[in-house]
């Protein structure tokens, strides 16, 4: 099974709408990365587009996920806020991993809780 996981920082205390926007950015950006560079995975994922949104307590935890995704050669994307509303410009809000095989993503994010 192919899925996409978005890990969102909870330490930023973003509002629900802000979180939704950041997750949307992460989904689209990572999907495009996968479509171009991992087309087989992306094509399988496109049929159902499974997405799971998880929480991480800090930037350090987010960075760990990014590093592991890069080490495993998985498609990923880091979202930084533009700073127009709740956050300072450049604040890293979330990371998306995938679309990629579920077992590979779960080896990185399997211990995280749903947002």
């Amino acid at each position: 099974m192919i899925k996409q996981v978005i890990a969102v920082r909870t330490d930023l205390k973003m509002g629900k709408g802000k979180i939704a926007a950041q997750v949307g950015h992460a989904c689209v950006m990572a999907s495009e990365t996968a479509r171009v560079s991992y087309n087989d995975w992306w094509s399988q994922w496109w049929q159902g587009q499974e997405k799971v949104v998880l929480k991480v307590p800090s930037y350090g935890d987010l960075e760990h996920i990014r590093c592991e995704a890069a080490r495993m050669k998985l498609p990923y994307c880091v979202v930084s806020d533009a700073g127009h509303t709740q956050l300072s410009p450049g604040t890293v809000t979330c990371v998306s991993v995938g679309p990629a095989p579920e077992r590979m993503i779960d080896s990185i994010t399997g211990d995280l809780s749903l947002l």
Side-chain angles (χ1 to χ4, degrees):
M1 169 119 62
I2 304 294
K3 73 177 180 181
Q4 182 181 48
V5 167
I6 302 89
V8 179
R9 287 177 60 187
T10 57
D11 61 319
L12 297 174
K13 308 295 185 213
M14 293 180 281
K16 291 176 185 173
K18 184 65 160 180
I19 291 170
Q22 298 301 297
V23 168
H25 294 321
C27 290
V28 171
M29 292 165 60
S31 172
E32 184 61 11
T33 297
R35 187 187 65 78
V36 171
S37 301
Y38 301 82
N39 193 264
D40 288 344
W41 290 347
W42 181 86
S43 294
Q44 292 175 53
W45 173 80
W46 188 250
Q47 302 306 310
Q49 301 177 31
E50 180 182 356
K51 296 170 218 61
V52 179
V53 182
L54 305 172
K55 55 186 173 181
V56 294
S58 70
Y59 172 77
D61 296 299
L62 203 76
E63 181 63 10
H64 174 74
I65 293 168
R66 184 202 64 78
C67 288
E68 286 299 301
R71 183 186 66 77
M72 294 176 68
K73 298 185 180 2
L74 297 175
Y76 71 90
C77 148
V78 175
V79 177
S80 298
D81 193 64
H84 298 301
T85 56
Q86 298 176 16
L87 303 172
S88 299
T91 301
V92 175
T93 59
C94 57
V95 64
S96 178
V97 181
E102 183 174 39
R103 67 185 172 353
M104 295 176 79
I105 293 177
D106 286 352
S107 73
I108 301 170
T109 63
D111 61 339
L112 299 175
S113 298
L114 293 171
L115 181 67

